[in-house]
Amino acid sequence: MTHPGPATFASRDAEDDYWMGVALEEARRAAADGEVPVGAVLLVAGAPVAKGRNAMVATRDATMHAELRVLKAGAYAAGDSRMPSATLYVTLEPCAMCAGAIVLSKVGRVVFGAWDDKAGMAGSVHDLLRHPKLNHRPEVKGGVRAGECAGVLREFFEGRR
């Protein structure tokens, strides 16, 4: 996966915007495959190591969320299940399952796009990612390209009705 390095970006916001765009490309691919359009990208120490999308329909496996798929691939690439230097970009606020995996993987930073008022665990329904009783709490930034991320989801579900 070849992409620009961190020195390419004028600011952290510009970098977040760029990587969310890569995650959005994955979300659109998921929609084209008939999957709920969620995409994710994982950077470890500033370098992209994995990108992916939901694959629950194709695999008939409810655990095949974009976040879990890139965390697994990222751990393999990094050679360690603990990734404190990692940043996870995902187009939708993580659910409880994904938030738990993020905490257990000790991901250092999570950046997401659209808020999820029905299942979001980074502040919408609950804040599992920053729960004070957990031994790891990543830095969290929500709402990056939120309108665009929500739009991809809205279009997908409107097409289903």
Side-chain angles (χ1 to χ4, degrees):
M1 196 172 11
T2 57
H3 288 282
T8 305
F9 302 102
S11 68
R12 189 174 232 188
D13 287 342
E15 184 176 11
D16 291 344
D17 186 71
Y18 174 83
W19 290 112
M20 189 60 69
V22 175
L24 274 159
E25 290 172 13
E26 289 297 311
R28 289 184 181 103
R29 287 173 139 168
D33 292 343
E35 303 278 355
V36 173
V38 176
V41 179
L42 185 72
L43 278 62
V44 175
V49 296
K51 64 180 180 175
R53 56 193 174 273
N54 277 358
M56 295 175 295
V57 175
T59 62
R60 297 183 183 135
D61 182 346
T63 68
M64 289 293 98
H65 287 200
E67 298 97 310
L68 294 185
R69 296 181 75 209
V70 300
L71 287 173
K72 185 175 184 176
Y76 180 79
D80 195 345
S81 64
R82 294 184 180 124
M83 299 176 280
S85 69
T87 300
L88 173 67
Y89 291 90
V90 61
T91 57
L92 181 64
E93 181 181 4
C95 69
M97 175 179 67
C98 294
I102 290 164
V103 169
L104 292 172
S105 297
K106 300 195 181 317
V107 170
R109 185 165 182 258
V110 177
V111 179
F112 68 88
W115 296 89
D116 186 349
D117 293 335
K118 295 179 182 172
M121 287 291 145
S124 288
V125 174
H126 192 59
D127 197 346
L128 185 61
L129 288 177
R130 293 173 286 199
H131 195 284
K133 289 192 175 187
L134 296 177
N135 68 345
H136 177 74
R137 290 178 294 282
E139 177 187 337
V140 177
K141 180 179 180 182
V144 174
R145 296 177 73 165
E148 194 174 351
C149 292
V152 170
L153 286 158
R154 189 173 35 260
E155 285 177 27
F156 176 80
F157 287 111
E158 284 174 356
R160 300 271 171 193
R161 293 184 185 128

